[in-house]
Amino acid sequence: MADEKDTVHYKGSEGGWGSLRGIAEILVKEVDRPAVLDTLRRQNKAGGFMCVSCAFTKPAHPHAFEFCENGAKATIWDLTSRRCTPAFFAKHTVSELRGWKDYDLEQTGRLTHPMRYDPASDKYVPCEWQEAFDAIGAELKAIDPGSAVFYSSGRASLETAYLYALFARLYGHNNLPDSSNMCHETTSVALKKLIGSSVGTSVLDDFRLCDAIFFFGQNPGTNSPRLLHPLQECVRRGAKIVTFNPVREKGLESFKNPQSPIEMLTPKATQISHLYLQVTAGGDIAAMMGMIKHVLAAEEKKWAEHKHHVLDVDFLQQHTQGFEEVKAKAEATSWDEIERESGLARADIEEAADVYINAHRTIAIYGMGLTQQVHGFQNLAMLVNLMLLKGNIGRDGTGISPMRGHSNVQGQRTVGISEKPDLVPLDTIAAQFGFEPPREEGMNTVKTCEKVLSGEVKAFIGLGGNFLRAIPEREKMEAAWTNLDLTVQIATKLNRSHLINGKVAYLLPCLSRTEEDIQASGPQKVTMEDTFSCIHGSVGKAKPASKHLLSEPAIVAGIARATLPPRPDVKWDEWVADYDLIRDLIETTYPDEFHDFNQRVFTPGGFYRGNSARERIWKTESGKAQFTVPWNKNAFGVDDAPGRWRLITMRSNDQFNTTIYGYSDRLRGIEGTRDVLLMNPEDIEAAGLKEGQVVGLASDAGDGVDRQVGGLAVTPFLLPRGCLGSYYPEMNPLIPLWYHDEESKTPAAKSVPVRIVA
Ligand SMILES: Nc1nc2c(c(=O)[nH]1)N[C@H]1C(S)=C(S)[C@@H](COP(=O)(O)OP(=O)(O)OC[C@H]3O[C@@H](n4cnc5c(=O)[nH]c(N)nc54)[C@H](O)[C@@H]3O)O[C@H]1N2
Ligand SMILES: Nc1nc2c(c(=O)[nH]1)N[C@H]1C(S)=C(S)[C@@H](COP(=O)(O)OP(=O)(O)OC[C@H]3O[C@@H](n4cnc5c(=O)[nH]c(N)nc54)[C@H](O)[C@@H]3O)O[C@H]1N2
Ligand SMILES: [Mo]
């Protein structure tokens, strides 16, 4: 391993002054209104508003300022004083704007007026809301409903999501892909199959009891910084944290609480990870196989010597299926293979396994490092295997805990945004609204892309997000996109997906969650579900960015009303006038999870909607929790070959998905640019490259298709040999559309096969 001093790597701890500086910088740049501080003070508090950034839970006993650097950035980004007005669009053609960077597009500020794309002038022109709704309705009425796609990014509220899914089904399709299809879809498919529940089983209280936490491919310092507080508390009371990640992420190394004055004035930060293992990209299956092998060996030894078990044998017997097969597989797998495939030394894996063995209660946290892999399902199956060995699912202080991304992405699935009809109570919906909902499986994200390419998709509505920037195979997709009859984007800020248009195209600006939403019955609240399945209310108080904005429920209802014939049980206007009525509808459709919904909206810490696996009720095919024998040695989607690298597409600390706040990846020490190729210094030398040399990457997926990205400065960085790092979304043109998790079709953005082109 190269000497750390040779590589770009941040030396301070996560949090601390740097994070306060990060907030202050963006405050000064973006806002000139005191309302912003008020809004920040209300962030993530019961009766306040729920952060638009990540999906980490909102505690019952919040801090004075219950937000992190990135949550504050996201709020300030919404409350910016900048405006993207009709005057701006009059000055720039859409073709010209396509040449702008993501950062510069969003820097134009909040969208203020509904806009129609005018192909003759190649410009967006302002229009009236009703005109937009009528035109969109006319287009949708003219096509087969099965050729329309309603995408959602995971930010919209439960109320909006429920109406949107209902609209899709009344219109006649289940084509409801969402950002989750590119994110934790692997979770939804694998956990459902293996433990009978598609979401994580831990809650915040478990963090007060656990003895160990294992992190696989999740980066809390950047992506869920408020999680660092419970982690710090865990470490202080002696729990051990073990991390598997090819990148040494600062937040998992050390943390200084920016909300503690004492910590801020002393040099000492809490060391977070007791053990940090730089597994090779795609190497987790082997690493976990090694841990299981060691746990089984320890079981044998302990039983022989002391007649005690390491395994939870009662649990295995009563609650699981398939243990013997996994045991046989682990015993048959050699340490040579495990070391080769994981890139880790046997002694290190054994040390990690010893932490697991010695912990009575363990939580496993994971993220995109496991889900965005061709063999992502097997990654999760191995993690479930590992957790089941010691009964670490469905017991206090334990659990398998995916850290979800967008603030309501999990909740959208809960209330019907799903292309899979069997995940939705269609019979209840049929009775509730008096119609026959479509029963055929709809399109997920990858399917949508395939059918845009084949010409079968005719219309696309985007409820937030930046679809064309977030998906793989960008160039081919953008070229095909202009064949669509209709594209509609409901958004707060301008992004690239708004600049590649169908024949009829509308850009519809909406309120953000931070803003006051006044309807006929008065000010409205909305709700979301966090990563621990807790549901929280949120009230925006800030003055809307423009008086022409509509709320998301109002926009969805406006399009639906213009598209569908009237029905006695479908009351778009009444529902929009009073969101309590939408919550009543949700309660009727999902009585177990959402009973007394309106009364419980502001429960401190949210109300828990329950999880069968947490109760050790396994809603799986066998009725048991399922062990799985992996059928692949690693998660890489193609064979290794000379000159073929595994590219990790990364998020910086200064972005939220495709929204780029700035060019400071403070926690990795990369400043002023995103056009970098991170490489192990020994690899740089072996490849005959030099630090700072500008190179390109080409797809090397073996399908003969030419995909390239250029202009990347070679930057030494402590990655495992054979791995490269560069930023998402800039690298997305390199990912083939077919390169996705086998089971869930989640694009495999974490081990992309590439070649370096000088
Ligand atoms: N500030 C900020 N917050 C965010 C977001 C954001 O963009 N910015 N995005 C939100 C969204 S939608 C999501 S889904 C979450 C994403 O949050 P995360 O799940 O943390 O996603 P990533 O940062 O993409 O990748 C996670 C980690 O996986 C590691 N990794 C890569 N390959 C492998 C591998 O093969 N094995 C292992 N073990 N690790 C690997 C990477 O080094 C990285 O540290 O964050 C949410 N929160
Ligand atoms: N290579 C690679 N690709 C990836 C990933 C990766 O790690 N690597 N990660 C994947 C993941 S995890 C995800 S979740 C997707 C993200 O995909 P998306 O969710 O589609 O993308 P975002 O960048 O979150 O969308 C940002 C846009 O949402 C709009 N917006 C913001 N707030 C609101 C709001 O309140 N309402 C409405 N209507 N619009 C709003 C703004 O216009 C903003 O420009 O990308 C995926 N793509
Ligand atoms: Mo995500």
Side-chain angles (χ1 to χ4, degrees), residues 53-55 70 179 183-184 215-220 222-225 244-247 249 252 276 279-284 366-370 372-373 379 403-406 648-658 661 668 728 750-751:
S53 189
C54 79
N70 288 309
S179 56
C183 180
H184 270 291
F215 268 90
F216 284 88
Q218 201 270 339
N219 180 17
T222 287
N223 297 321
S224 44
F244 287 82
N245 194 317
V247 181
E249 302 288 18
L252 287 162
Y276 203 117
V279 62
T280 201
D284 301 271
Y366 68 90
M368 298 300 101
L370 293 195
Q372 294 179 335
Q373 302 278 2
N379 273 335
M403 276 298 137
R404 303 292 304 237
H406 272 297
I648 303 170
T649 63
M650 328 212 284
R651 294 173 149 76
S652 97
N653 183 60
D654 217 6
Q655 75 183 86
F656 191 93
N657 295 343
T658 69
Y661 299 127
R668 300 196 186 105
Y728 145 64
K750 290 296 184 273
S751 299

Side-chain angles (χ1 to χ4, degrees), residues 117 119 458 481-488 500-505:
Y117 177 61
K458 303 283 182 217
W481 207 253
T482 50
N483 297 326
L484 297 181
D485 291 339
L486 173 71
T487 53
V488 179
I500 294 111
N501 286 329
K503 290 167 197 143
V504 174

Side-chain angles (χ1 to χ4, degrees), residues 447-460:
K447 220 355 71 29
T448 297
C449 293
E450 287 167 1
K451 296 214 167 185
V452 167
L453 292 174
S454 69
E456 289 161 84
V457 170
K458 303 283 182 217
F460 179 94

